[in-house]
Amino acid sequence: MSVTRAQQPVATPVVRTRTRLAHPALLLTGIVLVALNMRACLAAISPMVGEIQHTFGLSATASGLITTVPVLFQGVGAPLTPRLTRRFGAERVVLGAVLVLGAGVLLRVLPSVAALYAGCVVIGVAIAVLNVSMPGLVKREFPDKAATMTGVYSTTMLIGATLAAGSSVPLEKVLGGGWEASLGAWSLLALIAAVAWLPQVLRSRQEKAAVAAAPTGRQIEGIWRSPLAWQISLFMGISSLLVYTLVAWMPTILADHGMDRGEAGLVFAFSNLVQVAGAFLVPLAAGRMSRQRGLAVSMATLNAIGITGLLVAPVSGAWVSAAVLGIAQGGSLGLALAFIVLRTGSAAGTAQLGGMSQAIGYLVAAVGPVGAGALHQVTGNWNLPLILLLVLASVAAAAGWGAGRDRTL
């Protein structure tokens, strides 16, 4: 089914040109700064897992929960977000989520195991709201450039993750407050994003356009019965599982095979840096294609190649594996987000599919970090977890083949 012009979200250009707050540069700045926060606080903790484990005396499984809990609550919070945006407007919901994210970052570094996990819950819910709000907002504000803007904000997310992963250990040394000071510093980025986003909230109030502030257009009927929606959700879920499992354990895998902890952190940061290219280029390519089957299978194949490298040459081939995984993971993330905007005909449909796909996707992804940690604890090595990731990469290829069809929900 094709999308007609009538199905596109309706903008209000006449009203918006009457206020300085409607300047596109302000909107783009806000989107970029919000997106910087959406992965940074997750990536920052990965190089610190060993120290946190030592501080609180956690097992490998309990340590895996540090990265699993935010992912799990991304899945739990995602279905609620479309209701929030309809009631309060996307602008206010995004502002609230960024502020809650900053509070969660601070809660996570308090000297208590309970606060550690409570902060992870708060962070997960806040990111869930942003994950679902942003595609609908991009679809509404940039209906003719949705895939391009998806590439911009997905790339920015990964830039934030790269900066966080690469600077966590140096920040710890500069600030001199241990892992708590290093991780807590990222709350400042959330505050900066909230200030930058405030003009969008003020704009929406000035315009008094409650309908325009929420996702517009038709709802998707029977979305939970749609094979296409399930294929998109499964592709997102398995791709996210691969990402979050390696976010949680890649530095540890390298260190367990004899690599220096500092170098392992650099390899991990390099992988995040390479993700930027995939996250930007793949959505751009997807937007120029009527079918994206080949892209989806290519990303799954690259994931499998990178995982195989970690399995057979974890130290000597670490940098090559990191590069391949970076392209695959960044491209998979960008493509999954592009599917959400390309397979829907309105901002309301985008938010609806985003809520479903990210609910399913992150609930699936949550199994990865804790499952890999538990398997490692039982077997004493990383072979079985990596083999299972290879199997899942093939499932992602099959789901992506279906999700890449030229159809619209």
Side-chain angles (χ1 to χ4, degrees), residues 28 31 138 142 145-154 284:
L28 183 59
I31 290 174
V138 166
F142 306 97
K145 299 180 180 179
T148 300
M149 288 304 301
T150 297
V152 169
Y153 95 83
S154 63
L284 289 181

PDB file of all heavy atoms in Angstrom, residues 28 31 138 142 145-154 284:
ATOM      1  N   LEU A  28      16.620  21.925  15.125  1.00  0.00           N
ATOM      2  CA  LEU A  28      17.692  20.981  14.838  1.00  0.00           C
ATOM      3  C   LEU A  28      18.670  20.898  16.001  1.00  0.00           C
ATOM      4  O   LEU A  28      19.116  19.801  16.374  1.00  0.00           O
ATOM      5  CB  LEU A  28      18.417  21.401  13.560  1.00  0.00           C
ATOM      6  CG  LEU A  28      19.537  20.469  13.086  1.00  0.00           C
ATOM      7  CD1 LEU A  28      18.993  19.069  12.822  1.00  0.00           C
ATOM      8  CD2 LEU A  28      20.200  21.031  11.827  1.00  0.00           C
ATOM      9  N   ILE A  31      17.052  18.803  18.713  1.00  0.00           N
ATOM     10  CA  ILE A  31      17.047  17.380  18.360  1.00  0.00           C
ATOM     11  C   ILE A  31      18.424  16.770  18.560  1.00  0.00           C
ATOM     12  O   ILE A  31      18.569  15.681  19.125  1.00  0.00           O
ATOM     13  CB  ILE A  31      16.562  17.188  16.910  1.00  0.00           C
ATOM     14  CG1 ILE A  31      15.068  17.493  16.805  1.00  0.00           C
ATOM     15  CG2 ILE A  31      16.860  15.768  16.422  1.00  0.00           C
ATOM     16  CD1 ILE A  31      14.534  17.464  15.384  1.00  0.00           C
ATOM     17  N   VAL A 138      10.075  13.655  14.286  1.00  0.00           N
ATOM     18  CA  VAL A 138      10.804  13.830  13.024  1.00  0.00           C
ATOM     19  C   VAL A 138       9.863  13.666  11.830  1.00  0.00           C
ATOM     20  O   VAL A 138       9.915  14.436  10.861  1.00  0.00           O
ATOM     21  CB  VAL A 138      11.972  12.826  12.941  1.00  0.00           C
ATOM     22  CG1 VAL A 138      12.531  12.755  11.526  1.00  0.00           C
ATOM     23  CG2 VAL A 138      13.075  13.213  13.920  1.00  0.00           C
ATOM     24  N   PHE A 142       9.508  16.900   9.577  1.00  0.00           N
ATOM     25  CA  PHE A 142      10.252  16.739   8.319  1.00  0.00           C
ATOM     26  C   PHE A 142       9.619  15.619   7.486  1.00  0.00           C
ATOM     27  O   PHE A 142      10.279  14.627   7.190  1.00  0.00           O
ATOM     28  CB  PHE A 142      11.716  16.417   8.605  1.00  0.00           C
ATOM     29  CG  PHE A 142      12.401  17.399   9.512  1.00  0.00           C
ATOM     30  CD1 PHE A 142      12.525  17.141  10.867  1.00  0.00           C
ATOM     31  CD2 PHE A 142      12.918  18.589   9.018  1.00  0.00           C
ATOM     32  CE1 PHE A 142      13.155  18.036  11.715  1.00  0.00           C
ATOM     33  CE2 PHE A 142      13.551  19.495   9.852  1.00  0.00           C
ATOM     34  CZ  PHE A 142      13.662  19.223  11.206  1.00  0.00           C
ATOM     35  N   LYS A 145      11.635  14.572   4.483  1.00  0.00           N
ATOM     36  CA  LYS A 145      13.038  14.227   4.725  1.00  0.00           C
ATOM     37  C   LYS A 145      13.171  13.341   5.957  1.00  0.00           C
ATOM     38  O   LYS A 145      14.158  13.409   6.684  1.00  0.00           O
ATOM     39  CB  LYS A 145      13.874  15.494   4.906  1.00  0.00           C
ATOM     40  CG  LYS A 145      13.877  16.417   3.694  1.00  0.00           C
ATOM     41  CD  LYS A 145      14.729  17.654   3.954  1.00  0.00           C
ATOM     42  CE  LYS A 145      14.739  18.574   2.729  1.00  0.00           C
ATOM     43  NZ  LYS A 145      15.540  19.795   2.975  1.00  0.00           N
ATOM     44  N   ALA A 146      12.162  12.506   6.173  1.00  0.00           N
ATOM     45  CA  ALA A 146      12.126  11.725   7.407  1.00  0.00           C
ATOM     46  C   ALA A 146      13.313  10.775   7.508  1.00  0.00           C
ATOM     47  O   ALA A 146      13.929  10.640   8.574  1.00  0.00           O
ATOM     48  CB  ALA A 146      10.810  10.946   7.490  1.00  0.00           C
ATOM     49  N   ALA A 147      13.654  10.092   6.403  1.00  0.00           N
ATOM     50  CA  ALA A 147      14.772   9.141   6.448  1.00  0.00           C
ATOM     51  C   ALA A 147      16.094   9.860   6.684  1.00  0.00           C
ATOM     52  O   ALA A 147      16.936   9.398   7.463  1.00  0.00           O
ATOM     53  CB  ALA A 147      14.833   8.338   5.149  1.00  0.00           C
ATOM     54  N   THR A 148      16.275  11.018   6.041  1.00  0.00           N
ATOM     55  CA  THR A 148      17.507  11.790   6.231  1.00  0.00           C
ATOM     56  C   THR A 148      17.642  12.249   7.670  1.00  0.00           C
ATOM     57  O   THR A 148      18.712  12.117   8.293  1.00  0.00           O
ATOM     58  CB  THR A 148      17.528  13.008   5.294  1.00  0.00           C
ATOM     59  OG1 THR A 148      17.461  12.558   3.939  1.00  0.00           O
ATOM     60  CG2 THR A 148      18.783  13.826   5.500  1.00  0.00           C
ATOM     61  N   MET A 149      16.575  12.794   8.239  1.00  0.00           N
ATOM     62  CA  MET A 149      16.621  13.265   9.618  1.00  0.00           C
ATOM     63  C   MET A 149      16.743  12.109  10.606  1.00  0.00           C
ATOM     64  O   MET A 149      17.348  12.265  11.669  1.00  0.00           O
ATOM     65  CB  MET A 149      15.384  14.099   9.924  1.00  0.00           C
ATOM     66  CG  MET A 149      15.379  15.456   9.245  1.00  0.00           C
ATOM     67  SD  MET A 149      16.852  16.444   9.631  1.00  0.00           S
ATOM     68  CE  MET A 149      16.747  16.547  11.413  1.00  0.00           C
ATOM     69  N   THR A 150      16.199  10.957  10.246  1.00  0.00           N
ATOM     70  CA  THR A 150      16.410   9.779  11.080  1.00  0.00           C
ATOM     71  C   THR A 150      17.889   9.439  11.126  1.00  0.00           C
ATOM     72  O   THR A 150      18.430   9.086  12.185  1.00  0.00           O
ATOM     73  CB  THR A 150      15.604   8.588  10.540  1.00  0.00           C
ATOM     74  OG1 THR A 150      14.208   8.890  10.606  1.00  0.00           O
ATOM     75  CG2 THR A 150      15.874   7.329  11.362  1.00  0.00           C
ATOM     76  N   GLY A 151      18.549   9.543   9.967  1.00  0.00           N
ATOM     77  CA  GLY A 151      19.988   9.312   9.937  1.00  0.00           C
ATOM     78  C   GLY A 151      20.747  10.317  10.783  1.00  0.00           C
ATOM     79  O   GLY A 151      21.699   9.963  11.484  1.00  0.00           O
ATOM     80  N   VAL A 152      20.300  11.573  10.772  1.00  0.00           N
ATOM     81  CA  VAL A 152      20.975  12.614  11.558  1.00  0.00           C
ATOM     82  C   VAL A 152      20.868  12.322  13.044  1.00  0.00           C
ATOM     83  O   VAL A 152      21.866  12.348  13.782  1.00  0.00           O
ATOM     84  CB  VAL A 152      20.381  14.003  11.237  1.00  0.00           C
ATOM     85  CG1 VAL A 152      20.882  15.048  12.235  1.00  0.00           C
ATOM     86  CG2 VAL A 152      20.739  14.417   9.811  1.00  0.00           C
ATOM     87  N   TYR A 153      19.646  12.023  13.526  1.00  0.00           N
ATOM     88  CA  TYR A 153      19.531  11.868  14.973  1.00  0.00           C
ATOM     89  C   TYR A 153      20.022  10.509  15.452  1.00  0.00           C
ATOM     90  O   TYR A 153      20.549  10.386  16.562  1.00  0.00           O
ATOM     91  CB  TYR A 153      18.110  12.208  15.461  1.00  0.00           C
ATOM     92  CG  TYR A 153      17.144  11.072  15.623  1.00  0.00           C
ATOM     93  CD1 TYR A 153      17.139  10.304  16.776  1.00  0.00           C
ATOM     94  CD2 TYR A 153      16.175  10.796  14.657  1.00  0.00           C
ATOM     95  CE1 TYR A 153      16.216   9.288  16.943  1.00  0.00           C
ATOM     96  CE2 TYR A 153      15.253   9.796  14.816  1.00  0.00           C
ATOM     97  CZ  TYR A 153      15.281   9.038  15.971  1.00  0.00           C
ATOM     98  OH  TYR A 153      14.366   8.027  16.135  1.00  0.00           O
ATOM     99  N   SER A 154      19.943   9.468  14.612  1.00  0.00           N
ATOM    100  CA  SER A 154      20.522   8.183  15.022  1.00  0.00           C
ATOM    101  C   SER A 154      22.046   8.267  15.051  1.00  0.00           C
ATOM    102  O   SER A 154      22.700   7.686  15.929  1.00  0.00           O
ATOM    103  CB  SER A 154      20.063   7.055  14.081  1.00  0.00           C
ATOM    104  OG  SER A 154      20.508   7.272  12.755  1.00  0.00           O
ATOM    105  N   LEU A 284      20.161   6.928   4.950  1.00  0.00           N
ATOM    106  CA  LEU A 284      20.141   7.701   3.710  1.00  0.00           C
ATOM    107  C   LEU A 284      19.925   6.791   2.508  1.00  0.00           C
ATOM    108  O   LEU A 284      19.129   7.100   1.610  1.00  0.00           O
ATOM    109  CB  LEU A 284      21.455   8.469   3.546  1.00  0.00           C
ATOM    110  CG  LEU A 284      21.714   9.650   4.485  1.00  0.00           C
ATOM    111  CD1 LEU A 284      23.047  10.299   4.145  1.00  0.00           C
ATOM    112  CD2 LEU A 284      20.585  10.673   4.389  1.00  0.00           C
TER     113      LEU A 284
END
